[in-house]
Amino acid sequence: MWFRTESGRQIKGNTITNLRKLAKPPEAIMIVLDMALILMKRRIDPIRIDYNLDEPFYVPSKTEILRLLNFSGLLSTLLTIHKIQSYHAINKEVIPIKDKVQKAENSLRKASRKLARAERELERTEIGLAKCQHDFDAAMQTKQTYQSDYDALLKRRDDANTLISGLTGEKIRWNEQNKVFEQSIEKLIGNTIIVTAFLSYCGPFNQDFRQRMINEWQKQIQQRTIPFSDNFDIIEQLNDEATIGEWNLQGLPNDDLSIQNGIIATSNYRYPLLIDPQLQGKSWIKNMERDNDILITTFNSKMFRQQLEDSISLGRPLLIEDVDEELDPILDHILEKHYVKIGLTLRVKVGDREVDVNHTFRLYITTKLANPTYSPEICARVSVIDFTVTQRGLEDQLLSLVIANERAELERERVTLARETTKNKRMLKELEENLLIKLTSIEGSVLDDPSLVEVLNANKRIATEVKEKVSIAEDTKMKISAAREEYRPVAVRGSIIYFLMSEIA
C-alpha cells in the first residue's frame, strides 16, 4: 500500500498541492483517493475492472477524485485513512492471533472443565481408594489377628505335645513317689519324733548306743500306737545321696556313724562341739567351708574376740579348735542365741559390746580330748558330737592311703568319678526340684507359660545326658571297687592294729 511507502508516511500539507498539479496522479494515489471518497461518503463511479493494466484492477473514480483534491479537509482525511490502514494492517496480524488465543482459551476452558471433572472423579476415586485401603487394613489386621491366633494355637498344640511326651516319662516315678509321700505323711509324726530325739540326744554316743536308743524310742512309739516307718533309716530321713557324696569328697568318712555326725553337725539348731581326737571332723569342716572363707582360731589367740565379732557381723564360718572342758563365757549369748531384734537387724552381746548378726554366720567347736567331761550347762548350749574314728571309717581311710601309694592312678580315677557322680546326682535333683517348683507356681493353664516348655525340654535333655553319665559311672565304680577290694585286707589289718593299740594304751 502507498501508505506503507516512505512517501505515504511523510504526507504533509504541500503534498495535496503537488497532487493538484499532476495531470494524471499515480494509480496508487488514485486508489487512496477512492478510499477517501468512500470514507467521506462521496459519489464514486461504478466499479469496473481495467484489463489494460499489467494486472487487472478496478478503475478509480477520476472525476470525483479531481474534485476531492480541491477539498480543504483532504489532508486530515488522508491521515485518518492512514491510521485506518495502519489499524487494518495491524489487525490482519492480530486477528489470527486473537483467533488462536480464543481457540486456546476455548480449549483451556474445555480442558479446565475436563480437569475439574477429572479432579472430581479423582477425589471420588481417592475417597473410594481411602475406603478400600481402610477396609484392606482392617482385613489385614483381622487376618493378622487370625494368623496370630492360629500360630498361638499351633504353638500351644506343640507345647501340649511336648508337655505330654515330657511328663509321661515322669508319671510312673511321680506316682510311686506320691504313694511314698502319702505313706510318709501318715507316718510323719512318729518319724519326726525319732529324728528330733536323734538330733537332740544321740550326738555324744557311739554307733551301737545310738542304735539302741533308736530301737527303744521305736518301742515306746509303737506302744502308744503312733505310726512310723517300718524300715526307718535316720540317714535317708535327713539327707540325700548327693549331699553325702559331697561330704565324702570333702573328707568325711563313708561309714554310717560319720555320716550321722555330719547330719547332726549341719542340721541341729545348736552349734556343734566335735569330740575329734583324730582330727577327721575338723579336716572335713575346713574342706566343706573353704569356699565360704572359714576363719580358724582358738581361745588362746590374741585376736580371738576381734575374729569372733568379724565372723558374726560378716557372716563368715568360724572354727574354734582345740578347746578344753570349759568354754569361754564370751560365747554364752552366742551359743544360747540370745539375739535382740532392732528393726530388721539381729544383734547379740559379745562381752560388753553388741554386734550385728549376719544370718550366714556358722560356728564350729572342736576338741582333741578323747573322753572329755562337759557340764550339763555346756551340753545344753551346744550339740556335742562324738567324731571318734570307727573301725569301718578308719578302714576306708587306710584303704584310700594304700591305693594312693600302690595304684595312684586308680585312686585319682575313683575320686574324679565320685566327684562327677555326686555332681550329676545333684544336678538331677535340682532339675527335678526346679520342674516341680515351676509346675506348682503356674497360675492358670500350664500352656500359658512358655518358659515351662523350655525348662522341661532343657531338663529332659540334661537329665538324659546325666543319667547316661551316672549309668556309666556306676559301671566304672563297680570295676574300681573290685580293684580296690584287692587291697582291703591291708586296710583291715591296719584298722585292727590301731584299735588294739588304742585299747592297750
Side-chain angles (χ1 to χ4, degrees), residues 391-449:
Q391 184 172 349
R392 174 64 187 276
L394 180 60
E395 181 181 317
D396 288 340
Q397 295 181 52
L398 291 177
L399 179 61
S400 297
L401 292 175
V402 171
I403 295 177
N405 283 279
E406 297 294 330
R407 296 184 61 179
E409 73 286 351
L410 186 65
E411 182 64 15
R412 285 195 298 269
E413 185 178 358
R414 185 192 69 83
V415 173
T416 302
L417 181 64
R419 186 177 291 109
E420 291 179 354
T421 303
T422 301
K423 179 182 177 182
N424 291 332
K425 288 182 179 179
R426 172 69 67 184
M427 186 179 297
L428 280 175
K429 188 172 185 298
E430 291 176 353
L431 289 174
E432 183 178 357
E433 290 177 353
N434 291 337
L435 179 59
L436 291 174
I437 291 172
K438 197 71 177 177
L439 288 172
T440 55
S441 62
I442 292 176
E443 297 181 359
S445 174
V446 294
L447 298 177
D448 294 334
D449 189 354

Side-chain angles (χ1 to χ4, degrees), residues 146-165 445-457:
Y146 289 155
Q147 186 67 38
S148 299
D149 294 342
Y150 176 73
D151 294 339
L153 289 174
L154 287 180
K155 188 175 186 305
R156 286 172 69 87
R157 184 198 67 182
D158 295 339
D159 292 346
N161 291 333
T162 302
L163 286 174
I164 292 172
S165 62
S445 174
V446 294
L447 298 177
D448 294 334
D449 189 354
S451 62
L452 175 62
V453 179
E454 297 176 2
V455 171
L456 182 60
N457 288 332

Side-chain angles (χ1 to χ4, degrees), residues 180-196:
V180 173
F181 290 151
E182 290 177 354
Q183 295 175 359
S184 299
I185 292 174
E186 294 176 359
K187 302 175 180 180
L188 180 62
I189 297 177
N191 293 343
T192 303
I193 293 173
I194 298 174
V195 167
T196 304

Side-chain angles (χ1 to χ4, degrees), residues 254-272:
N254 197 28
D255 59 286
D256 289 346
L257 180 64
S258 298
I259 294 173
Q260 291 177 4
N261 290 338
I263 292 172
I264 297 172
T266 56
S267 303
N268 208 319
Y269 174 76
R270 293 172 294 177
Y271 293 121

Side-chain angles (χ1 to χ4, degrees), residues 428 431 453-468:
L428 280 175
L431 289 174
V453 179
E454 297 176 2
V455 171
L456 182 60
N457 288 332
N459 285 5
K460 188 175 181 181
R461 184 183 67 256
I462 297 174
T464 302
E465 296 175 357
V466 170
K467 286 179 180 178
E468 291 178 357

Side-chain angles (χ1 to χ4, degrees), residues 54-191:
D54 296 334
E55 295 181 2
F57 207 75
Y58 72 94
V59 179
S61 301
K62 294 182 180 181
T63 306
E64 195 62 34
I65 288 173
L66 292 175
R67 295 176 183 174
L68 183 61
L69 291 174
N70 296 320
F71 179 61
S72 59
L74 180 59
L75 179 60
S76 60
T77 300
L78 292 175
L79 292 175
T80 301
I81 292 171
H82 174 63
K83 293 178 180 179
I84 291 172
Q85 195 276 337
S86 299
Y87 172 78
H88 174 70
I90 294 172
N91 210 27
K92 283 178 66 177
E93 297 178 359
V94 171
I95 285 176
I97 297 175
K98 286 185 176 180
D99 292 341
K100 292 180 180 180
V101 171
Q102 186 64 34
K103 291 179 180 178
E105 288 179 351
N106 292 337
S107 299
L108 176 62
R109 283 192 293 272
K110 292 180 181 179
S112 298
R113 287 193 295 271
K114 290 182 180 180
L115 177 61
R117 287 195 300 270
E119 288 178 347
R120 288 193 296 271
E121 186 65 26
L122 176 62
E123 184 177 358
R124 289 194 297 271
T125 304
E126 287 180 347
I127 292 173
L129 178 62
K131 185 177 181 302
C132 291
Q133 185 65 40
H134 180 269
D135 295 342
F136 175 76
D137 293 340
M140 290 301 295
Q141 186 174 2
T142 304
K143 176 190 174 185
Q144 186 64 34
T145 302
Y146 289 155
Q147 186 67 38
S148 299
D149 294 342
Y150 176 73
D151 294 339
L153 289 174
L154 287 180
K155 188 175 186 305
R156 286 172 69 87
R157 184 198 67 182
D158 295 339
D159 292 346
N161 291 333
T162 302
L163 286 174
I164 292 172
S165 62
L167 296 178
T168 300
E170 304 289 343
K171 180 180 179 181
I172 299 175
R173 186 169 60 85
W174 284 352
N175 285 336
E176 294 176 355
Q177 287 186 352
N178 187 41
K179 295 178 181 179
V180 173
F181 290 151
E182 290 177 354
Q183 295 175 359
S184 299
I185 292 174
E186 294 176 359
K187 302 175 180 180
L188 180 62
I189 297 177
N191 293 343

Side-chain angles (χ1 to χ4, degrees), residues 215-449:
N215 293 337
E216 182 63 27
W217 291 332
Q218 289 177 341
K219 289 179 183 179
Q220 297 290 334
I221 292 173
Q222 192 171 11
Q223 290 176 1
R224 291 167 175 79
T225 65
I226 300 175
F228 64 93
S229 298
D230 297 332
N231 299 321
F232 182 85
D233 188 340
I234 194 69
I235 296 176
E236 291 181 358
Q237 294 289 329
L238 292 174
N239 222 320
D240 55 81
E241 291 184 7
T243 303
I244 295 173
E246 290 178 0
W247 288 351
N248 295 150
L249 292 173
Q250 292 160 356
L252 184 69
N254 197 28
D255 59 286
D256 289 346
L257 180 64
S258 298
I259 294 173
Q260 291 177 4
N261 290 338
I263 292 172
I264 297 172
T266 56
S267 303
N268 208 319
Y269 174 76
R270 293 172 294 177
Y271 293 121
L273 192 161
L274 278 59
I275 301 174
D276 189 27
Q278 289 82 27
L279 307 180
Q280 60 179 4
K282 181 170 70 172
S283 175
W284 167 63
I285 290 174
K286 288 180 179 179
N287 293 329
M288 181 177 63
E289 298 288 3
R290 180 184 293 112
D291 294 338
N292 298 320
D293 197 16
I294 186 172
L295 186 62
I296 302 172
T297 186
T298 63
F299 284 141
N300 297 326
S301 174
K302 296 180 180 180
M303 301 294 294
F304 170 72
R305 180 166 177 173
Q306 183 64 42
Q307 292 171 332
L308 178 62
E309 293 178 358
D310 291 343
S311 297
I312 296 174
S313 59
L314 298 177
R316 295 175 59 184
L318 178 65
L319 172 61
I320 304 175
E321 57 183 2
D322 302 339
V323 300
D324 293 325
E325 294 182 348
E326 297 293 334
L327 300 181
D328 195 323
I330 199 173
L331 296 177
D332 289 350
H333 292 286
I334 300 171
L335 297 178
E336 295 176 1
K337 296 188 177 181
H338 287 170
Y339 298 154
V340 179
K341 189 172 184 179
I342 301 176
L344 298 177
T345 306
L346 294 176
R347 300 179 68 86
V348 66
K349 193 170 184 180
V350 180
D352 56 351
R353 294 182 56 187
E354 286 189 351
V355 180
D356 292 340
V357 179
N358 192 306
H359 69 280
T360 59
F361 167 71
R362 291 181 295 277
L363 176 63
Y364 303 95
I365 305 173
T366 64
T367 179
K368 290 182 180 179
L369 302 177
N371 190 22
T373 301
Y374 290 109
S375 65
E377 291 79 7
I378 293 178
C379 292
R381 291 172 181 166
V382 298
S383 178
V384 180
I385 305 173
D386 184 9
F387 250 92
T388 304
V389 67
T390 62
Q391 184 172 349
R392 174 64 187 276
L394 180 60
E395 181 181 317
D396 288 340
Q397 295 181 52
L398 291 177
L399 179 61
S400 297
L401 292 175
V402 171
I403 295 177
N405 283 279
E406 297 294 330
R407 296 184 61 179
E409 73 286 351
L410 186 65
E411 182 64 15
R412 285 195 298 269
E413 185 178 358
R414 185 192 69 83
V415 173
T416 302
L417 181 64
R419 186 177 291 109
E420 291 179 354
T421 303
T422 301
K423 179 182 177 182
N424 291 332
K425 288 182 179 179
R426 172 69 67 184
M427 186 179 297
L428 280 175
K429 188 172 185 298
E430 291 176 353
L431 289 174
E432 183 178 357
E433 290 177 353
N434 291 337
L435 179 59
L436 291 174
I437 291 172
K438 197 71 177 177
L439 288 172
T440 55
S441 62
I442 292 176
E443 297 181 359
S445 174
V446 294
L447 298 177
D448 294 334
D449 189 354

